[in-house]
Amino acid sequence: MGLYMMTHVHMLLLLCSSLSSAAPASKSLVVSVRSSVLEQLGRETTLPCWLNPPQSAEALEVRWYRNDRFDTPIILYQNRKMSANKDASYVDRASFGLKDAASGGLAAGDVSMKLLNVGIEDEGDYICYVSSDQGYDRGSVSLKVTETGNTPLLSMVWAEQNLVNLSCGSEGWYPRPKLHWADQKQNLTPKSLEYSKVSSGLVSVHSWVLVPSSSEVSCSVGLSDVDMKEARVRLEIPPPPAKQVVQSAPGLVAALVIFILLFLAALALLGWPYIKKRVFQKKGKSEGNQAEENMKLLQEVEKAALEEAKKHYVNIELEDKGNPYITIKAGIFRDKKHPDVTAVTCLTAIRGTPGFTSGQHYWEVSLENPGVKVKQSWWVGVTKATDFPLQGDAPSSTSNGFWFLSSSPERADSFQLNTEPKVLLPVRSRPTRVGVYLNYDGGELSFYNVEDESVIGSVTAKFQGEVFPFFNPGKGDTGTMKILKKIEQGACNDTGNDERAQEPES
């Protein structure tokens, strides 16, 4: 009969659950709790629970459990000692904690629970139960878990009718975040808004909009309207003139190049990333000829810009400081022995010389490896940093003196500029040779696919101090990179900058 009565009491106890302090069974034992706790994923948290008025809990029974699992407690304190955790998922993670810095612990009636390494699966209600010979009381604490994801990543594809398909994606959120598009002061309605969840429970969001090819667009992602992470980009394409004007005035192509460079310099003062890509227009029945003309014109503009950049060709030498993670020989270099990290870092990076404090400069790097596929993982750009291999996993962003274009095997259809925010550039094929053009005074850094004479992308920045050519052969990619030098006319080995990269010795 006694056993039946105790079981009946426990059943009634579970049925009377609430999110605040329950009615006490004894006037001398009252449990108070903080009804809701918000904590970030992976952090340590405390679920506050205490006796009110304060009294010692050292001789009482204290039990923390979830939902209806009274007999599988996370914490069980009896007879002045802690019993082993019966809920295996909380072993070595749950213990008594302090509700505040002034707490006196168990001796003062503080029976709060401290929980380490909070996970998404820990989200939910927890019951704090305290009993004595005179009675019992309990309270319920709701734990909510959050995680802030990455800064949104923008990518784009030029579409028809002078429109741009601009995509925005962000990973690593919990719970589901909000996503907001805006064109300056005007809100935009997305064409698509999709959420996905990975095995860890974290949420990714992806959305896209169609915007005019001349616009300033922002994408904001966050858990609330107050604390949003924003990516912003300004797009610009000069309007193409009529075909007959180009034929009668070939100098107009050069004028358009000047227009683009002036526009880049203006954006540098604003500090915005600027992306310049070829326009891809779908051919319709009535607009096919015009789209073809636009394409041809822009190809001529990009070709002329590359030819102008090559007038400032400079031969680059690599600084070989004995980096143990890369192999260097005769201007050819590759990843040798990368540490066990998940991403490419500056540990495998190398500077080139000379450095620049003014003027216009151009150089090329080969990514071609005879007999194997084109190199998949690399960085190419400029930096003002020194001894950066020592920085290891330190972020390589524009804010600490890095400006570069990167490629990744995981993103075969796009390259990435390390602007803030980062921006993806769509590509049709991997280049075997990349040209880098630095206009220091104009604040422009442009990257070219030398084979098809097209612009991959451009970045604007206000350069200060000396900047140096910057290279990184990536991680886990045995393909080599090679600095291509321009051989002056009259030299014995007049191979120019068409030399092929050779495999360096180990």
Side-chain angles (χ1 to χ4, degrees):
M1 182 67 177
L3 178 60
Y4 171 80
M5 289 300 294
M6 283 300 296
T7 304
H8 186 59
V9 168
H10 287 166
M11 290 179 64
L12 288 176
L13 178 64
L14 297 174
L15 291 173
C16 295
S17 175
S18 66
L19 296 180
S20 60
S21 298
S26 169
K27 294 182 179 179
S28 63
L29 190 62
V30 179
V31 168
S32 296
V33 296
R34 185 180 302 162
S35 61
S36 181
V37 173
L38 184 68
E39 190 55 74
Q40 189 172 355
L41 184 69
R43 298 288 183 85
E44 171 188 310
T45 193
T46 297
L47 307 184
C49 179
W50 65 97
L51 299 179
N52 188 20
Q55 57 181 292
S56 175
E58 293 176 318
L60 304 180
E61 175 185 325
V62 180
R63 185 183 297 249
W64 278 92
Y65 60 96
R66 296 196 65 174
N67 302 323
D68 58 350
R69 291 182 288 187
F70 182 89
D71 294 324
T72 313
I74 301 169
I75 284 181
L76 179 56
Y77 175 82
Q78 291 175 316
N79 303 320
R80 297 181 178 270
K81 64 179 181 180
M82 189 79 75
S83 299
N85 297 74
K86 292 190 177 182
D87 192 326
S89 61
Y90 292 92
V91 172
D92 298 328
R93 293 203 299 134
S95 61
F96 281 133
L98 302 178
K99 64 183 179 68
D100 54 48
S103 171
L106 282 176
D110 185 353
V111 294
S112 302
M113 180 174 70
K114 180 172 69 174
L115 187 60
L116 304 179
N117 192 23
V118 171
I120 293 175
E121 65 280 0
D122 294 325
E123 190 171 66
D125 293 337
Y126 292 77
I127 309 301
C128 173
Y129 171 88
V130 183
S131 67
S132 69
D133 294 338
Q134 306 301 316
Y136 66 89
D137 195 14
R138 66 172 188 161
S140 178
V141 184
S142 177
L143 174 61
K144 299 183 184 300
V145 180
T146 68
E147 177 65 335
T148 301
N150 302 325
T151 299
L153 186 63
L154 296 175
S155 60
M156 67 173 190
V157 175
W158 295 101
E160 58 188 6
Q161 299 177 349
N162 293 322
L163 294 176
V164 175
N165 182 330
L166 191 60
S167 297
C168 177
S170 183
E171 302 174 343
W173 295 89
Y174 190 84
R176 177 182 290 193
K178 300 178 180 179
L179 186 144
H180 175 73
W181 286 100
D183 185 351
Q184 294 181 335
K185 300 298 183 181
Q186 179 181 358
N187 295 332
L188 299 176
T189 301
K191 296 292 185 180
S192 171
L193 179 61
E194 298 178 350
Y195 293 92
S196 60
K197 185 180 293 186
V198 297
S199 58
S200 65
L202 295 178
V203 179
S204 298
V205 59
H206 181 270
S207 179
W208 64 274
V209 293
L210 280 177
V211 295
S213 58
S214 178
S215 55
E216 178 193 333
V217 182
S218 68
C219 174
S220 303
V221 181
L223 298 174
S224 68
D225 295 330
V226 178
D227 189 17
M228 304 283 281
K229 288 193 172 185
E230 180 185 80
R232 182 181 296 269
V233 65
R234 182 165 181 172
L235 307 170
E236 187 69 38
I237 280 290
K243 183 175 181 180
Q244 61 270 23
V245 177
V246 178
Q247 291 175 335
S248 61
L252 186 56
V253 171
L256 281 175
V257 174
I258 293 173
F259 173 86
I260 292 173
L261 296 179
L262 288 174
F263 179 75
L264 290 170
L267 285 181
L269 300 177
L270 300 175
W272 283 321
Y274 171 67
I275 300 128
K276 181 175 60 197
K277 279 293 296 177
R278 185 176 317 186
V279 175
F280 295 97
Q281 287 187 295
K282 297 179 181 178
K283 296 182 180 180
K285 292 182 180 180
S286 61
E287 60 191 25
N289 292 338
Q290 184 61 52
E292 186 176 351
E293 291 172 6
N294 292 350
M295 174 72 80
K296 288 180 179 179
L297 175 64
L298 288 173
Q299 287 175 337
E300 289 300 319
V301 170
E302 294 183 347
K303 180 179 179 180
L306 177 57
E307 291 175 353
E308 181 65 28
K310 285 185 175 181
K311 294 179 182 179
H312 306 281
Y313 209 112
V314 58
N315 286 338
I316 301 299
E317 301 289 343
L318 295 175
E319 284 187 338
D320 188 353
K321 295 186 176 182
N323 188 328
Y325 303 116
I326 52 178
T327 297
I328 305 171
K329 183 178 180 181
I332 306 172
F333 54 104
R334 71 176 182 194
D335 171 28
K336 179 181 180 182
K337 184 177 61 176
H338 202 284
D340 187 19
V341 295
T342 58
V344 181
T345 70
C346 277
L347 286 172
T348 50
I350 185 169
R351 271 193 347 179
T353 58
F356 310 108
T357 57
S358 63
Q360 301 177 58
H361 313 278
Y362 175 85
W363 58 93
E364 292 182 1
V365 58
S366 171
L367 307 171
E368 187 175 19
N369 293 268
V372 297
K373 63 183 180 180
V374 176
K375 186 168 179 59
Q376 302 293 296
S377 179
W378 47 265
W379 297 357
V380 174
V382 299
T383 183
K384 68 176 183 180
T386 58
D387 297 326
F388 46 80
L390 302 179
Q391 296 180 10
D393 292 331
S396 306
S397 63
T398 54
S399 61
N400 59 357
F402 292 87
W403 301 267
F404 60 83
L405 176 75
S406 66
S407 174
S408 167
E410 287 75 29
R411 292 186 179 273
D413 61 344
S414 61
F415 294 152
Q416 180 173 290
L417 294 171
N418 77 316
T419 52
E420 296 176 348
K422 294 179 172 60
V423 176
L424 291 181
L425 301 176
V427 295
R428 291 174 298 170
S429 62
R430 298 266 184 165
T432 60
R433 186 185 305 176
V434 174
V436 183
Y437 169 69
L438 171 66
N439 184 345
Y440 186 103
D441 303 311
E444 176 195 356
L445 181 66
S446 292
F447 302 94
Y448 292 89
N449 183 331
V450 179
E451 283 79 17
D452 63 13
E453 299 178 312
S454 66
V455 179
I456 298 173
S458 297
V459 179
T460 61
K462 190 174 183 180
F463 300 112
Q464 294 180 333
E466 192 171 18
V467 298
F468 297 84
F470 175 68
F471 311 93
N472 195 326
K475 173 182 179 291
D477 185 347
T478 57
T480 62
M481 300 175 70
K482 181 179 181 180
I483 305 301
L484 298 177
K485 296 184 179 180
K486 182 178 182 180
I487 307 300
E488 297 298 331
Q489 252 186 344
C492 295
N493 180 19
D494 190 17
T495 57
N497 57 0
D498 289 326
E499 296 177 302
R500 301 295 180 180
Q502 302 295 323
E503 184 80 4
E505 297 178 1
S506 299

